[in-house]
Amino acid sequence: MMATRGRPKKTPTNVRLSDDVVLVKLDQIECIIRKNSQDIEELKNQVAMGKGGIKTIFVIGAIVAALATTLGFYRGG
């Protein structure tokens, strides 16, 4: 008996099995994409909070600098 070359011939059982494997993989990919989307949203929220915190620190620093400058003028002048 001679060895066959190339791909094995697809039988209905192989096709069904292949389709099942593809469906399982697609379900896994869908779950991964859903998780990644949630992670991206969480990161966006964290970045937004970080930007807000930096702005707050900048405003407080500007107020403190203004007060220090004002007090310096009153004491020096």
Side-chain angles (χ1 to χ4, degrees):
M1 188 163 161
M2 231 173 159
T4 58
R5 291 183 166 199
R7 293 183 174 177
K9 296 195 186 292
K10 289 192 175 185
T11 60
T13 306
N14 287 348
V15 172
R16 217 170 326 134
L17 185 61
S18 297
D19 289 346
D20 290 343
V21 170
V22 169
L23 289 175
V24 168
K25 292 292 183 183
L26 284 174
D27 287 341
Q28 291 174 346
I29 291 171
E30 183 182 358
C31 289
I32 291 169
I33 289 173
R34 191 175 303 125
K35 175 77 170 100
N36 285 345
S37 296
Q38 291 171 350
D39 290 345
I40 289 170
E41 288 300 319
E42 289 175 10
L43 285 172
K44 283 181 183 178
N45 290 336
Q46 289 176 1
V47 167
M49 282 191 292
K51 286 180 181 178
I54 290 171
K55 287 179 184 177
T56 302
I57 290 171
F58 179 73
V59 168
I60 290 172
I63 292 170
V64 168
L67 288 173
T69 303
T70 305
L71 289 175
F73 284 138
Y74 284 126
R75 286 188 184 168

